[in-house]
Amino acid sequence: MSRLGFMWANLFRRPVRTWLTLVSVMIAFLLFVLLRTVSHSFSEGGGFGEPGIDRLMVSPKYSIIDPLPISALQQIAGVDGVLAVTHGDWFGGVYQDRANFFPKYPVKPIPHFEMYSEYLIDPQHLEAFANTRTGAVAPLAMAVKYGWKVGDKIPIEGDIWAKKDGSRNWEFDLVGTYAAPEDQQQPGVFLLNYAYFDEARDFGEGTVGWFTVRIADTERAAEIANAIDALFTNSLNPTRTMTEAEQARQFMQQIGDIELMMTGILAAVFFTILLLTGNTMAQALRERVPELAVLKTIGFSDGAVAALVLGEALLLCAVGALLGTALAIGAAVVIGPGMEEAMGVFEVSGSTAASALGLSALLGLVVGAVPSFTAQRLSIVDALRKQ
Amino acid sequence: MTVVSCKGVEKTFIKGRESVEVLAGINLEIEEGDFLALMGPSGSGKTTLLNLIGGLDHPSAGSVVVGGQPLAEMSAKQLAKWRSANVGFIFQFYNLLPVLSAQRNVELPLLLTALSSKQRQANAAAALQIVGLADRAKHKPGELSGGQQQRVAIARAIVADPGLLVCDEPTGDLDRDTADEILKLLETLNGEYGKTIIMVTHDPKAAEHAAQVLRMDKGLLVENAA
Ligand SMILES: Nc1ncnc2c1ncn2[C@@H]1O[C@H](COP(=O)(O)OP(=O)(O)O)[C@@H](O)[C@H]1O
Ligand SMILES: [Mg+2]
């Protein structure tokens, strides 16, 4: 028996109580690691790529799922200071399995790649994309991930969109791939031909999800955005226009709100755990007063007994944290791939695991401090008399 | 050689404004290899005296010297270390740790030594052998009878090979036959292993096993019968 073994044995004086405490500590740390990983991946990898400072997004004012009429494109193009306009839409849909979650946008091929010139595509691939009704292009990394080759047929089951014949089985011909900027971490977008999509879908013809606008003078971004929105203020489809940078900023703001909420949840959870574990340790200590006196009698110093009691609290918290972190890592492996679309790489980072262990040490110290101090001060003679 | 020497030992407990004089001047010498029984009415100060000799508490006046070592000169930490090497304690209610097996209870004092894990286990097994409980090594205290638990406690008291055993009513919770077995074991430890033993007891039959009987009353040694 080692000292560690002795501490472990002491923890299990009341196995049910210890297991319950251990499980609650474990769940608290599972939550901690998962929430930390969520906010980590939100702020690190997820969301939008590098925003173009000379691009504006024109979205429906009230809900991103409202459609905008494609006829608005001409009006927007006419606004002073606008150089070019393209559009995009949400296709949704599932490739083989729900876990294969990547965005799919119907676009006009040539204007799209002119607008997003940071994405590089072989001119021959672009031409094939423009000229193939059922054509599609994918980011190189996505094609590699799913093992697609140019010429493959990519079946997508429509969830938002059905075809005019009622079928939801869309099929696209992969006619090319394109390269995303090097620093981009999101999985990228599967692009399909808007012309084919618009003609084949069973409703919503002539509408788009959003417009992207390139402006000549970034200093005038706010003014141009206002001018665009003014065009549609009293129409059936009012818009909301902002720079991609502003959109990214708002997105980060939301992440900030989410992080604040998560911090609140975690604080509440850990406060509860603190009370629960603290109570367990205090109760265990009261039951053991005579035993601790015996330890001192047979030669354990005050410091050694205090260290023993503190060590037990640390051990309990550390084991709970290890189990919780292990569980979170396992959960991330299982659910991570499905979440990557929404928030980039979903993987428990070393620093998150390390902060879980650090937090468990802190928890152990706080929970163990008072019992340990009590144990240190315990007088042998008094404790044995009260037996 | 004198193992225990108490000179003018007094002990007064202070409770709020009241002070209770529990030991009123004890002079006592115990020679190496003695087996001494300490008798006397409840509340006469027997446990208090035992605690002073075992280095668990300090006298209010007078000196306690054990094995040539004046206990007053040691810090709490030094005293703890000294106890672990020099005194074995045996209590009325055994005071084993319920979460540990017999073997591990016996091994416990050795955690304070520099012995290797293997050596600790070997010594604990040897101590259990001496008290005749080798076959119960894996049992927890809750799975043992009172007499068996007291044997484990005795094994724990001797495992670090101290010269002095202090026993506070070691048979107070046991039936006659079991008590006799425990007392015979103490006799063996005294006779064969040379342990000096001080045993507090209420039981005149128990005292018969000792070589010497002292009586206490109201904090004083009152009579010295052989
Ligand atoms: N720590 C203490 N504080 C206050 N009073 C004590 C303390 N220890 C012992 N006493 C008192 O001292 C007297 C003798 O106690 P004790 O030595 O335990 O007697 P015995 O063991 O002979 O029955 C009792 O009256 C007891 O109440
Ligand atoms: Mg007593």
Side-chain angles (χ1 to χ4, degrees):
Chain A
M1 179 180 61
S2 61
R3 286 206 185 202
L4 197 67
F6 181 37
M7 290 193 271
W8 187 247
N10 279 328
L11 281 179
F12 285 91
R13 127 189 331 273
R14 307 235 168 178
V16 174
R17 182 175 67 194
T18 300
W19 277 115
L20 286 177
T21 310
L22 207 53
V23 166
S24 15
V25 173
M26 182 187 83
I27 289 172
F29 277 94
L30 170 67
L31 214 62
F32 172 81
V33 173
L34 282 184
L35 290 183
R36 278 290 295 249
T37 302
V38 166
S39 64
H40 202 71
S41 63
F42 261 142
S43 50
E44 294 270 303
F48 297 82
E50 194 62 25
I53 53 167
D54 60 349
R55 284 197 295 253
L56 304 180
M57 281 281 284
V58 184
S59 312
K61 186 168 183 180
Y62 299 112
S63 159
I64 61 160
I65 59 164
D66 285 341
L68 293 172
I70 196 162
S71 57
L73 189 141
Q74 289 310 322
Q75 286 169 274
I76 296 170
V79 170
D80 181 39
V82 169
L83 293 183
V85 188
T86 58
H87 55 80
D89 209 339
W90 309 104
F91 184 80
V94 177
Y95 169 65
Q96 289 180 341
D97 190 298
R98 285 236 158 250
N100 300 332
F101 199 46
F102 51 84
K104 309 158 194 77
Y105 299 166
V107 299
K108 279 223 163 81
I110 291 172
H112 180 87
F113 277 97
E114 280 171 3
M115 177 67 74
Y116 293 95
S117 51
E118 66 268 36
Y119 294 85
L120 303 177
I121 185 166
D122 184 313
Q124 278 177 322
H125 285 182
L126 181 58
E127 200 186 312
F129 185 25
N131 294 335
T132 312
R133 239 170 56 94
T134 54
V137 292
L140 198 56
M142 187 187 293
V144 170
K145 177 172 175 186
Y146 295 110
W148 299 332
K149 298 180 305 296
V150 169
D152 281 357
K153 290 197 181 301
I154 314 295
I156 308 281
E157 193 190 330
D159 44 14
I160 309 174
W161 306 107
K163 292 199 270 193
K164 286 207 168 68
D165 62 8
S167 155
R168 292 190 172 270
N169 299 326
W170 296 80
E171 197 170 64
F172 301 98
D173 295 298
L174 192 71
V175 296
T177 57
Y178 65 92
E182 261 178 33
D183 57 351
Q184 178 162 321
Q185 296 189 27
Q186 32 179 161
V189 179
F190 183 82
L191 297 169
L192 44 118
N193 220 321
Y194 177 79
Y196 165 60
F197 161 71
D198 194 45
E199 160 192 321
R201 60 176 159 177
D202 63 346
F203 73 97
E205 235 173 298
T207 65
V208 297
W210 65 85
F211 294 102
T212 308
V213 175
R214 184 191 296 286
I215 56 176
D217 182 358
T218 54
E219 306 255 304
R220 290 180 58 208
E223 176 202 329
I224 297 169
N226 286 338
I228 292 172
D229 289 342
L231 290 175
F232 307 105
T233 310
N234 294 317
S235 76
L236 285 174
N237 305 92
T239 57
R240 189 167 137 82
T241 304
M242 57 184 124
T243 59
E244 286 186 351
E246 169 65 7
Q247 196 171 38
R249 198 194 62 74
Q250 287 194 2
F251 185 73
M252 291 312 291
Q253 168 87 43
Q254 282 169 3
I255 289 169
D257 292 348
I258 292 171
E259 282 190 342
L260 194 69
M261 196 176 74
M262 286 179 181
T263 307
I265 295 173
L266 285 174
V269 167
F270 275 88
F271 185 67
T272 313
I273 286 298
L274 201 71
L275 294 183
L276 193 83
T277 319
N279 184 48
T280 304
M281 296 313 289
Q283 218 173 320
L285 187 83
R286 275 196 296 280
E287 294 163 3
R288 287 169 64 196
V289 162
E291 284 174 38
L292 295 176
V294 168
L295 287 180
K296 287 190 178 186
T297 302
I298 65 179
F300 282 78
S301 67
D302 294 344
V305 172
L308 186 74
V309 171
L310 188 65
E312 287 170 19
L314 285 169
L315 185 62
L316 183 72
C317 294
V319 170
L322 280 176
L323 289 176
T325 305
L327 218 58
I329 291 172
V333 168
V334 175
I335 62 173
M339 304 194 64
E340 279 183 10
E341 158 66 12
M343 44 180 136
V345 179
F346 190 79
E347 221 174 58
V348 176
S349 70
S351 75
T352 300
S355 55
L357 289 189
L359 185 64
S360 82
L362 195 68
L363 187 67
L365 286 177
V366 172
V367 162
V370 172
S372 162
F373 185 66
T374 313
Q376 148 139 36
R377 303 250 318 219
L378 187 85
S379 137
I380 301 175
V381 174
D382 289 344
L384 288 178
R385 251 165 62 82
K386 279 177 197 138
Q387 233 179 319
Chain B
M1 200 184 99
T2 307
V3 176
V4 177
S5 163
C6 298
K7 288 206 173 75
V9 168
E10 297 175 19
K11 181 72 183 178
T12 305
F13 289 107
I14 297 166
K15 268 189 201 156
R17 289 216 192 132
E18 267 177 66
S19 67
V20 189
E21 187 176 58
V22 175
L23 297 179
I26 300 274
N27 294 300
L28 172 67
E29 301 235 316
I30 302 170
E31 295 300 313
E32 187 171 358
D34 267 3
F35 186 169
L36 177 85
L38 201 55
M39 300 190 70
S42 191
S44 56
K46 305 181 297 293
T47 296
T48 303
L49 180 59
L50 221 50
N51 288 345
L52 296 181
I53 293 171
L56 298 176
D57 204 357
H58 291 289
S60 313
S63 75
V64 180
V65 178
V66 180
Q69 171 76 53
L71 301 190
E73 287 175 8
M74 283 189 278
S75 70
K77 195 170 173 180
Q78 288 170 327
L79 258 182
K81 196 168 163 56
W82 173 82
R83 283 196 302 272
S84 72
N86 296 286
V87 192
F89 293 87
I90 298 159
F91 307 92
Q92 178 176 0
F93 297 110
Y94 332 124
N95 281 345
L96 299 173
L97 301 203
V99 293
L100 300 182
S101 66
Q103 160 95 20
R104 290 180 157 195
N105 262 289
V106 176
E107 193 188 329
L108 203 53
L110 300 180
L111 286 183
L112 299 165
T113 67
L115 294 179
S116 71
S117 168
K118 260 213 173 105
Q119 194 66 61
R120 292 198 302 262
Q121 286 177 31
N123 291 10
L128 276 176
Q129 188 82 45
I130 290 174
V131 301
L133 264 190
D135 56 335
R136 294 286 192 277
K138 293 265 182 297
H139 290 58
K140 296 251 176 89
E143 300 157 3
L144 298 173
S145 72
Q148 290 172 328
Q149 288 188 60
Q150 194 60 300
R151 285 172 187 272
V152 176
I154 292 171
R156 180 178 68 186
I158 62 172
V159 72
D161 200 22
L164 177 66
L165 298 182
V166 298
C167 320
D168 199 347
E169 305 191 30
T171 58
D173 199 43
L174 301 173
D175 61 61
R176 180 81 267 149
D177 290 347
T178 315
D180 278 340
E181 289 171 20
I182 294 296
L183 289 161
K184 281 203 190 97
L185 178 56
L186 290 178
E187 272 184 77
T188 308
L189 291 175
N190 175 244
E192 284 181 29
Y193 294 86
K195 307 289 179 199
T196 306
I197 299 181
I198 314 170
M199 174 180 74
V200 166
T201 182
H202 272 112
D203 177 4
K205 282 235 155 103
E208 281 171 16
H209 290 263
Q212 194 188 1
V213 180
L214 294 180
R215 284 178 202 285
M216 277 187 80
D217 194 18
K218 299 195 181 79
L220 286 168
L221 288 169
V222 290
E223 180 186 338
N224 200 343

